[in-house]
Structure formats: C-alpha cells, structure tokens
Amino acid sequence: MTPTPPRLAAWLLRRLVPAGEREFLLGDLEEGFDRHARGQGSAAAWRWYWRQALGAALRSWTMPDEERPVAGASLAALGRDLRGGLRVIRRAPLFATLVILTFAIGLGATAAIFSVLDPVLLRGVPYPNGSRLLLVNDRGVDNEPQNIGWLTFRDLTEQSRTLEGAAAVTGWTPILGGIAEPARLSGQRVSHQFFSVLGVRPALGRDFLPEEDHADRRNSVVIISHAMWQRQFGGDSSAVGRTLRLSDRSVTVIGVLPPGFESLLAPGAQVWAPLGYEPGDDWACRECRHLRVLGLRATGIGLPAVQRELDAISGRLMAANPDSYARPGFYLQPLDHYLTAAVGPVLLAIAAAVTLLLLIACINVANLFLGRALARAGEYAVRAALGAGSGTLVRQAVAEAVVLALVGGFLGAGLAVAGVEALVRLAPAGVPRLDQVRVNGVVLLVTFLVATLVGILAGLAPATAAVRARAATVLRHGSRTIVGGVSRRLRASLVVVAVAVALVLLVGTGLLVRSLDGLLTVDPGFQPEGLLSVEVQTYGERYSEDAAVHRFFAEVTERVRTLPGVEAVAATSQLPLSGDYDTWGLRIKGHERSNPAEDPSAFRFAVTPGYLQAMGIPLLRGRALLPEDRAGSPPVVLINETLAQTEFAGEDPIGQQVQIGSLDSPWRTVVGVVGDVRQQSLESPGERQFYMPTTQNPWADTRLVLVIRARGNLARLVAPVRAAVREVDPTVPIATVRSMSEHIARNTASRVFALAVFRVFAAVALVLAALGLYGVLAASVTERRRELGIRHALGAPREALLGLVARSALRLTGLGLVLGLGTALAGGHLLTSLLYEVSPTDPRTFLGVGLVLLAVAGLAAAVPAWRAVRVDPVEALREE
Amino acid sequence: MSDKSLPPAPLGEFEQLVLLAVLQAGASAYGAVIQREIETRTGREAALGAVYTTLLRLEAKDLVASRVGEPLPERGGRRRKYYRVLPAGIRHLEASLAALRRMAAGLPSPLELP
C-alpha cells in the first residue's frame, strides 16, 4: 500500500489556508510527500509533511493583509486585528500559554461548578405549581418539624382556605412479581390529590379519583413513571388498563406520568398508589406521625397569611385533642428551601471557592498583561511617536486579549465538560436533579465575558497610558519609567490580593481536611470493618401471619451463619448510617409527662438475638437480648447510654418499666444498657435509642436488614448469601447489599466531595499566586539590574542584595497574609455547617496554612533573588 | 534600462532564491519544483508556506506571473500553478546580482581574511 499524507494535517490546512492557494499548496505537499516517501521512507515523509503543513498553516493564518493577494485584502479590520492577536502566541509563547491556561482553568472550573449549581439550586421546583408548594409539618417538643398523622391531614384539608389543596405522602416499596426474579420497587402511597397539587397530569390515562383513595380500593390501581412504562410495557400506549403483579396482588395501571417527572420527596420512585386511609385505622391516628404533607398555597395568598390560618386551625385541633400535640402551630417550609437545605451548604461553599478561583485567575491574567505591557512600553511609545493612532494601539491591545480569551475559553469549555462529568460522578447521593446537570452555555458565556473584560482592561491601561504620555519623555527616559510606575504598583497590589485569595482557599481546605479527619476517626459505636448488610423484604399472602415472617428470618439467619467465613449474623429493623429513620415515643413508669405528646422519642431497633455481637456494640450493664425473649415471654428492652443518662439520671435503669408507642401497649422491663450508636450521621452523637426483640413487637417487621460479620473479602460472600435467601424462599427479593464501610462512605460523601473540590482549587490558587509573586519579583529584579549592579560595584555584600529581594517578597506576602487572614476570619462561618469539631477560626489551621504560603512565597522569590545576586555590575551598567 | 524609473526596491534574500529557482525550473516551475530547486541547490530545507507567501508577494509586485494547469491524478486530482519570471523580475534580479558581484569584486575566491 502506498503511504498517504497525514489526514489531520491536511484537514488543518484545508481549514486554515485561504481558498485561493489551498488547492495548489495541498497538491504540492502531496507531491513532496510522495518524493520524500520514496527517498527517505514514509516515517520521514510523514514528519516532513507535518512540519510543512504547520508552518504553512501558521504563516497563512497570521499573514499581514498587506502581504496578501488582493482577494484577501477585503477582510475586515477586525480580522486583521484578531490575526495580530494570534501573532502574540508566536512572539511571546510563554506569556500566551500562561494567559491561555489561566483563562482555561478559571473559566472551566467556574462554568463546571455553576452548571451544576444551576439546576440543583437555582432553577426551583420543576412542577407547574412549584413555587406555591409548601411542606406542612407538626411541631415537636423542641419546635422541630415533624411528620403528620392522617387525622390531622384530613382536618387540615377540610378546614384550610389559604391552601388550595394538600396531599399526604408516604414511602412504599412494593415487590414486582410475575418476572423471573422478583424486584423491590421504589414508590409512594399518596392521597388522591397528590398529582393535581403538584400541577402534574399523567401523559397517558388519568389521575387518581377521590373514591379510589379508600381502604377497599387502595390496592387496585397504580400510576407508573414513564421509565417504568418503557421497561414493563415497551412504551405501548395500550398499557393503561393492563395489570401489574405488585406484592402478590394484581393492580391496574390507570396512568403513565410524563417523561422527566421526578418525585422530589422520593427520588427514583416509579409507582404511585392511593393512600386509602380510613378514620378508624390504627395507622391513621394523630400521633401516627409518618406522613409528609404538601400544601398548595392559593394564588395571591402569601406565606404569612397561610401561617396565620394554619396556626388558628392548629389551635382548634389542640383544644379538641390536648394529648395529641406537643406544641401549637404548624411548621411550614417552602418545598424548594427544604430540597436545597441538605445540599445547599456544600454547593454554596463550593460556589464561594470557585468564585475565589475565578478571582485569582482574573488577577493573574491582569498581572500577566500588565507585565507584558511593561515590557512593551517602549514599543508603544515608539509607535505612538511614529504616528500610530491611539485607536490602533488600543484596538490591537484589545484584540490580543480577546484572542487569548477565546483560545482559553475553548480549552475552558472542554475542561468544563470534563469537570461537570466528574462532579456528577463524585456528587453525594441525594443531590436533587443531578440528572439534569449539563454544561450551561449561559454560564460559560458569562464567565468568558468576565475574563475577556479583565484581559481587555489589563491590556488597555498601559496602551492608553503610553498614548497619553508624551512620547518624547518616554523615549528619553528609557522604556519603563512612565508606564512602569503605575503598572508596578498595580501589579504589586494584584499580587497581594492573589496571595490573600489563595490563603482563604487554603484555610477552607485546611478546615475541611481537619473536619473529615476528625469525622473518619469518630467511633460510630459499632465496628464497621468486616460487616456486610443485606436488606430483605417479605411480602404477600404467605407472610400475612407474623409467625411466618419470624420463621423466615430465623431460617435465613441460620443458613447464613453456616456459610464459610461468617462469624456472626443477626437482623435489625433499621441499620445505622444507612438513611433508615424510625423514632417512637416512650414513657417511663414514674416519669410520665402530663401531656403524652411531650414524652421523649427514641430510635427503635427491632433486632434478633446476637445483634450486639454481630455489630460489635458494647453491652455496658445488664444482659443482652436472648433467644428466650420471644413472643409470650415477659417483654424486655435494651436502652442506650444517652437514653439511660437523660431519662434515668441518678437511677439504675435496670429493672425499670418502659412503655413504647401507644398508651395501651405493654410495659417492658429494661434488662440492659448498651453503647450509643451513630444512627443518622457520624456527626450526630447523643441520639436516644432502644432495642427490642423482633418477636416481641406488636407486629412483625416485614423488612429487616441482615448484618453479617465475616472474615476475608465481603464481596465473595454476596452470592452465597443470596443463595441462602433463595433456598428459604425464592420469591423474596434482596433489596440492597452493601458493606458497612460503603454506608459510611455514602454518609461522608458530601464532605469528601466538597473537600476534593477545595483541594484542587486551593492547589491551583497557590500555584497562580506563586506565579504572580514570581512575575512581580522577577520584573522588579530586571528593572533594578542597573541599581543592583551599582550597589554591587560599590561593595554591597551579596546578603544585602538578597535582602532587597527578600524584603519585597516578604512585604507582598505579608500584606497578602494579613488581608487573607482577615477575610478568612470574617468569612469562615460560611463553612460552619461543613465543619466537624473544628472552629472556623481554628488557630492550628491558620498557622499551618500561613506557613505553607510563606514557604511557597520563598520558592517563588528564590529565582529572582538568585538572579539579583548574580548581576554583573559591568554588564548591567553597559546595558542602557 | 531606463534611468528615469526609480531604482527597483532591493529584493530580499529569499525572494532572490525563489526567482532564481523559477528560472532554473524553466517551463515546469510550480511550488514543489521551486521548493526542490532551492533545497537541492542551497542544501537547506525550505518551507513550502514560505515559498508560497514569497510567490504571492512577487506576483503582487508584478515580478512573476502564474497560470493554472490541468488536474493531475498524482496530486489527488489537484491542479498545479505554474510561475514564470516577468521582465521586471529579471531587472530586479539583475540589479541584486550586480550589487552582489560589485561587492565581491577584487576579493579573492574563496574568500579569506585580509
């Protein structure tokens, strides 16, 4: 096969060489390529072609108009200036590269971060009624927001006029059957108004009817997501009216939601069924606080008016049911506030960090342009003296900035695309609307314009100064004096600001590092290493008897216990640090509150015997739960240390009587005290917790999490555990399998995420600040060569010359440090919600960061200082 | 040669090389050949882009003229642009070479330090 010229090079030429010459040039190059290929082999020919092509491309791209054939001379002046701008890349490659890279990093990072922030934080709730939606909560003993019981919800919807509508929602995890391996779905049970309150209509079929929201029909109809419709019915429009097998029952699909619909309170939900509660139901009481209630503010009614009316309703409800409410009034939260509250602090801290990064990038670009202008002051003056109009000079300065910003902007856009992908991949679970994150063109454009503006201003200042100054003066006094005075001071101030910004970012990073280190060494109250969690859910007719559920879990536990490597196994109704949340009210005999609604609440763990051992939770007093504690035997309970201290201060809790849940439930004897476990997050200590045998609960928990302590690789245990569950009952699905370390990683994900961003930004800021410092010091040494030379000739020792540079370095860095420390002290509280047991003004962090910055400043000053010492007096004096 | 016209602006070194290469190549003077003439006679690699820019400049000064040939398969169906030197080009070249000869007159060949 005959070799062919490199296609990319040829493509480049086709793009860049003017049409008039393109054909001949390409033809000649091809002939040349063949000749070289015959004479010297295809590799040499290949290299020759690339060399020639790049040379020709660059030449024709940057060719001045006056050298162009007449055809090209019609190009607008703008084109000429832009080409002039491009020439800067050839003439000052280091300067151009630094400017382009700084632009690219600054723009890329900013665009990436704000592209993520925009849909997540700024775009609001994606429902037609989004801005009018409120979360309505009961108030707890400490006025904290609490879920709502169904009777309260019913009264609220009947009585409120300021709310146009309200809907109650709770979680639902039906098992999809009729397929090879039953799967657990994520779904919601909703009151019939749910979709109309959101303002969403099914794309196919219809919404729920009020008569379907009753006990007799709650299991007969569902509305499904667009994705589920695609998966289960292949997007067939006849799906409405067909049936699905959910948790052993046949239900009819009555509607399909529009694509892109996401239930913000249950991301990933795919099926919705009516709530179907009736006033007499055990789970419908006022104290059965497990429903989220969404209210729709009537148009034209403000939040305060809603609050006033709902508080009045609450007053009436409390008067009628004094034992059911702890505090008067409802706790209202606009839905968008609620959604962003969890991720807001992380993203806002990151937004602040990226703004600082953009600032430091702009400072550096300005600094680079000023430095270059300084070096070209003489050239400007000569050109002005020779009659170049001020317009031309300014236009060319602007063109240079625009061209560099353009090139940097393109690179930055690429960085932004990669950055957004990385951010989405790294983002902690629970960030809403993450799937809608795209590189945002508007954001890219705005940051790009900002950076260009900075470049223009920085390039403009010296050009106009040169034009304004009397050219003769500039020429007589050597190149740098006139423009230099202003620019030098400006550059120095910019470096001070850059150092300050870098310090702020470093402090932020330092604080986050210390928080994460602190958090990762927190004792969660159990031993997470070598612990596998497997969530299993029973369902359907076969498990309608509690005994069947208990038997199933007992059998699974026994089978898993015999697997090789397994040291201990037990099951629990909720797993620490997994997002499980189940609190119950409890009363202590002799300590009952006059209002039962004010009784303390605590996390409830229904566990099988051996749970403490499997988890590695220490037993502090008394005894653990035993197989003998079963249905029918005297009811027992274990409490944790915090519960013992807060409710039994100065008493021995062992042997005391505790009632859990409703007022008619049995009294239980406290038989042991165990260590605290971090349930909600590693940060939250001091939660009240109690443990009861699964078999002594008023009903069987159908969903339990197996905790398996094992030696060796946990991943290798997954298949045998699955098999063990299948052997007991092949229709029971395993919902999630995760190691305890994975749960902990998810729990700290947002912190790790923020820290990763801060680390990168702080490193970039540090490098940029160091470069700025180096630039200013180096320029100052160059300018003062003469002075340094004379000093040297007059016998100034080397240390004195070194001291000169060191002093200016120290002055700039010192000022920056002071400015940065002040800013960090003032702005540190922005990070507070991300810090763990570290003060935002932690002296150790500030000291360490200050030292790092000084060390880097020392490095940046070293080369200029070395050059200052090595100035040869004779040469320096001869120069000008 | 008329004395009324201004003396021609001096040619740059590369312009001289290109003009001479066009003359050397004769009837088949196109980019690749001109480039090869320069390379083989001076022993240094010439950039085709530079050759093209120079030819355009010489054409703009009316020192060379060009005509376009037929599409050729060995060039991927592309045409060649053939150049010939115009009388003004010869005059310029003569002036440049004469200047060089006058400058070198009386010096030993090969050159040596006095």
Side-chain angles (χ1 to χ4, degrees):
Chain A
M1 206 184 92
T2 52
T4 52
R7 250 179 306 181
L8 180 62
W11 176 85
L12 209 66
L13 281 174
R14 281 198 296 277
R15 291 279 135 147
L16 294 179
V17 175
E21 300 307 311
R22 196 181 300 150
E23 175 181 357
F24 312 117
L25 183 73
L26 278 166
D28 283 346
L29 279 176
E30 191 154 334
E31 279 188 46
F33 177 83
D34 289 341
R35 180 164 55 88
H36 280 84
R38 279 193 306 273
Q40 291 153 40
S42 56
W46 187 279
R47 279 198 300 278
W48 176 86
Y49 193 99
W50 262 111
R51 223 163 35 236
Q52 293 285 344
L54 285 180
L58 202 59
R59 203 172 295 273
S60 65
W61 201 8
T62 59
M63 183 166 35
D65 258 3
E66 52 272 24
E67 292 186 8
R68 278 176 183 257
V70 190
S74 61
L75 277 171
L78 176 69
R80 190 170 57 227
D81 286 334
L82 288 183
R83 275 199 308 281
L86 259 180
R87 263 199 298 273
V88 74
I89 299 178
R90 247 191 354 195
R91 273 205 227 125
L94 182 66
F95 162 75
T97 312
L98 282 177
V99 171
I100 288 172
L101 281 183
T102 313
F103 266 133
I105 292 169
L107 293 178
T110 316
I113 296 287
F114 282 100
S115 296
V116 173
L117 288 184
D118 180 46
V120 174
L121 278 192
L122 310 175
R123 205 169 291 161
V125 178
Y127 304 132
N129 295 337
S131 59
R132 291 193 285 138
L133 291 174
L134 304 169
L135 269 181
V136 183
N137 304 282
D138 268 348
R139 288 178 184 275
V141 182
D142 301 318
N143 274 316
E144 76 278 13
Q146 282 196 333
N147 290 341
I148 286 187
W150 186 78
L151 285 177
T152 309
F153 162 71
R154 185 201 60 183
D155 294 344
L156 195 65
T157 38
E158 281 173 3
Q159 297 181 25
S160 174
R161 296 292 161 267
T162 57
L163 292 181
E164 198 177 298
V169 189
T170 187
W172 182 40
T173 52
I175 312 296
L176 178 65
I179 49 178
E181 206 158 308
R184 193 179 71 159
L185 299 179
S186 164
Q188 285 180 307
R189 285 211 178 263
V190 296
S191 65
H192 65 90
Q193 312 94 329
F194 180 67
F195 292 108
S196 60
V197 162
L198 298 184
V200 173
R201 294 208 41 77
L204 272 182
R206 60 168 176 86
D207 200 349
F208 295 124
L209 302 171
E211 56 267 33
E212 283 165 341
D213 192 1
H214 285 285
D216 51 335
R217 294 184 65 185
R218 67 193 295 263
N219 287 318
S220 57
V221 291
V222 285
I223 292 177
I224 61 176
S225 71
H226 190 268
M228 178 148 176
W229 174 56
Q230 295 284 347
R231 207 173 45 244
Q232 289 299 316
F233 299 104
D236 183 352
S237 58
S238 73
V240 171
R242 285 165 57 184
T243 59
L244 283 174
R245 193 93 189 134
L246 289 185
S247 296
D248 262 1
R249 293 194 194 87
S250 272
V251 294
T252 307
V253 175
I254 60 161
V256 177
L257 291 169
F261 173 83
E262 185 189 8
S263 183
L264 296 176
L265 293 176
Q270 305 165 62
V271 283
W272 288 263
L275 196 59
Y277 285 11
E278 305 289 348
D281 290 339
D282 279 350
W283 47 84
C285 65
R286 289 176 200 278
E287 301 82 7
C288 308
R289 295 188 166 87
H290 65 282
L291 298 174
R292 316 288 293 269
V293 172
L294 277 173
L296 178 61
R297 200 152 47 76
T299 6
I301 306 280
L303 193 58
V306 179
Q307 185 77 62
R308 271 196 306 278
E309 195 215 20
L310 293 199
D311 285 352
I313 294 174
S314 160
R316 290 200 293 275
L317 295 182
M318 246 185 123
N321 311 278
D323 289 354
S324 302
Y325 299 96
R327 295 281 176 267
F330 286 103
Y331 188 109
L332 301 183
Q333 277 173 298
L335 184 60
D336 46 359
H337 290 197
Y338 167 78
L339 289 172
T340 51
V343 287
V346 176
L347 294 181
L348 285 180
I350 291 175
V354 80
T355 311
L356 289 178
L357 187 76
L358 184 65
L359 181 63
I360 206 170
C362 288
I363 288 171
N364 257 52
V365 166
N367 220 330
L368 285 164
F369 270 98
L370 282 176
R372 178 160 164 80
L374 215 61
R376 295 173 68 191
E379 179 200 329
Y380 278 133
V382 171
R383 285 169 64 189
L386 291 178
S390 55
T392 314
L393 290 182
V394 169
R395 227 179 46 219
Q396 284 171 355
V398 171
E400 246 181 40
V402 171
V403 164
L404 293 180
L406 266 172
V407 178
F410 278 124
L411 279 181
L415 262 179
V417 173
V420 164
E421 275 172 24
L423 284 173
V424 169
R425 202 154 0 95
L426 277 174
V431 174
R433 283 161 273 172
L434 204 58
D435 57 322
Q436 290 165 37
V437 170
R438 303 274 181 282
V439 174
N440 188 315
V442 178
V443 169
L444 206 60
L445 193 70
V446 169
T447 47
F448 171 71
L449 286 178
V450 167
T452 313
L453 204 66
V454 170
I456 289 174
L457 289 177
L460 216 53
T464 45
V467 171
R468 253 187 277 115
R470 282 179 44 228
T473 329
V474 179
L475 293 175
R476 198 178 317 126
H477 288 278
S479 53
R480 297 187 177 98
T481 29
I482 297 288
V483 185
V486 184
S487 301
R488 207 166 29 235
R489 274 197 301 280
L490 194 53
R491 285 194 85 185
S493 343
L494 287 176
V495 165
V496 169
V497 178
V499 169
V501 172
L503 183 98
V504 172
L505 277 171
L506 281 173
V507 166
T509 312
L511 291 174
L512 289 176
V513 167
R514 293 210 52 200
S515 297
L516 190 66
D517 284 350
L519 203 59
L520 291 180
T521 52
V522 157
D523 175 11
F526 59 93
Q527 286 156 17
E529 302 82 20
L531 203 53
L532 185 71
S533 76
V534 179
E535 188 186 357
V536 182
Q537 182 174 337
T538 61
Y539 65 97
E541 202 54 41
R542 216 164 339 156
Y543 295 98
S544 55
E545 297 287 322
D546 286 354
V549 179
H550 296 317
R551 206 163 41 240
F552 169 80
F553 281 109
E555 262 179 63
V556 168
T557 312
E558 280 325 303
R559 273 176 201 267
V560 171
R561 198 189 308 282
T562 60
L563 294 176
V566 171
E567 289 173 338
V569 57
T572 175
S573 62
Q574 63 172 338
L575 186 69
L577 303 176
S578 69
D580 285 346
Y581 183 95
D582 185 20
T583 62
W584 285 47
L586 59 97
R587 272 164 299 282
I588 295 142
K589 194 161 262 178
H591 297 255
E592 295 98 332
R593 311 289 203 274
S594 58
N595 179 359
E598 291 186 19
D599 280 330
S601 64
F603 282 92
R604 161 188 171 270
F605 297 81
V607 298
T608 61
Y611 178 71
L612 297 182
Q613 187 206 349
M615 289 290 283
I617 299 171
L619 176 68
L620 303 178
R621 309 197 47 200
R623 67 167 176 90
L625 299 178
L626 302 170
E628 293 77 52
D629 299 316
R630 62 168 71 89
S633 67
V636 293
V637 67
L638 300 178
I639 63 174
N640 75 338
E641 210 179 347
T642 297
L643 188 52
Q645 278 164 4
T646 56
E647 300 301 319
F648 298 94
E651 286 177 67
D652 184 359
I654 307 288
Q656 301 264 16
Q657 298 288 300
V658 175
Q659 190 182 43
I660 287 156
S662 67
L663 291 167
D664 47 12
S665 56
W667 288 93
R668 297 167 182 274
T669 309
V670 176
V671 294
V673 178
V674 301
D676 287 359
V677 162
R678 309 258 161 149
Q679 172 63 25
Q680 292 192 82
S681 74
L682 285 174
E683 294 98 317
S684 49
E687 297 160 326
R688 291 184 289 251
Q689 296 157 347
F690 65 86
Y691 298 82
M692 57 161 75
T694 50
T695 46
Q696 288 189 347
N697 203 43
W699 71 89
D701 290 88
T702 54
R703 184 210 81 127
L704 289 182
V705 182
L706 301 175
V707 286
I708 305 161
R709 181 165 296 286
R711 288 181 302 272
N713 189 350
L714 291 180
R716 244 179 273 145
L717 203 57
V718 174
V721 170
R722 280 184 184 281
V725 174
R726 250 199 314 273
E727 280 166 29
V728 180
D729 184 343
T731 67
V732 170
I734 289 174
T736 47
V737 181
R738 220 166 262 161
S739 74
M740 211 55 225
S741 325
E742 247 176 289
H743 284 296
I744 290 181
R746 286 167 161 256
N747 208 269
T748 52
S750 67
R751 226 173 263 281
V752 171
F753 177 62
L755 182 57
V757 173
F758 264 80
R759 274 214 170 109
V760 173
F761 286 8
V764 172
L766 195 60
V767 169
L768 291 180
L771 278 179
L773 194 61
Y774 166 79
V776 167
L777 292 176
S780 125
V781 168
T782 311
E783 275 168 52
R784 293 167 71 184
R785 272 171 74 83
R786 217 177 136 87
E787 177 202 333
L788 292 168
I790 293 174
R791 281 171 187 259
H792 199 157
L794 292 179
R798 297 193 152 203
E799 298 79 62
L801 300 180
L802 225 121
L804 271 179
V805 178
R807 261 199 303 283
S808 20
L810 211 60
R811 202 175 53 240
L812 294 176
T813 317
L815 277 173
L817 279 176
V818 171
L819 188 63
L821 287 177
T823 316
L825 283 174
H829 65 272
L830 278 175
L831 274 179
T832 306
S833 67
L834 291 178
L835 300 185
Y836 177 74
E837 294 190 347
V838 173
S839 150
T841 57
D842 178 47
R844 264 179 63 190
T845 307
F846 276 68
L847 190 67
V849 163
L851 288 178
V852 167
L853 208 63
L854 275 178
V856 171
L859 276 178
V863 176
W866 182 70
R867 272 176 45 207
V869 173
R870 301 223 347 176
V871 166
D872 176 355
V874 183
E875 255 183 44
L877 290 175
R878 199 188 285 147
E879 242 173 28
E880 296 224 6
Chain B
M1 226 178 283
S2 140
D3 283 336
K4 275 180 286 177
S5 64
L6 284 169
L11 292 172
E13 193 227 356
F14 199 67
E15 288 178 324
Q16 298 171 18
L17 292 183
V18 169
L19 277 174
L20 289 168
V22 173
L23 289 175
Q24 295 281 6
S28 64
Y30 62 95
V33 170
I34 297 168
Q35 181 194 27
R36 195 167 62 226
E37 285 293 343
I38 295 174
E39 284 186 351
T40 48
R41 285 170 196 275
T42 64
R44 63 186 198 204
E45 186 169 311
L48 197 59
V51 172
Y52 265 75
T53 335
T54 309
L55 284 168
L56 285 174
R57 198 157 51 217
L58 293 172
E59 196 169 14
K61 293 199 241 174
D62 282 331
L63 305 184
V64 297
S66 63
R67 70 179 170 82
V68 173
E70 296 301 307
L72 297 168
E74 67 264 35
R75 296 164 60 89
R78 298 188 188 90
R79 296 171 299 173
R80 283 176 185 155
K81 196 174 188 179
Y82 294 99
Y83 285 90
R84 68 192 161 85
V85 181
L86 293 174
I90 299 286
R91 276 204 304 278
H92 272 74
L93 209 44
E94 275 301 344
S96 297
L97 289 177
L100 265 184
R101 276 194 292 268
R102 281 196 297 275
M103 287 308 295
L107 293 177
S109 176
L111 294 173
E112 58 192 40
L113 282 175

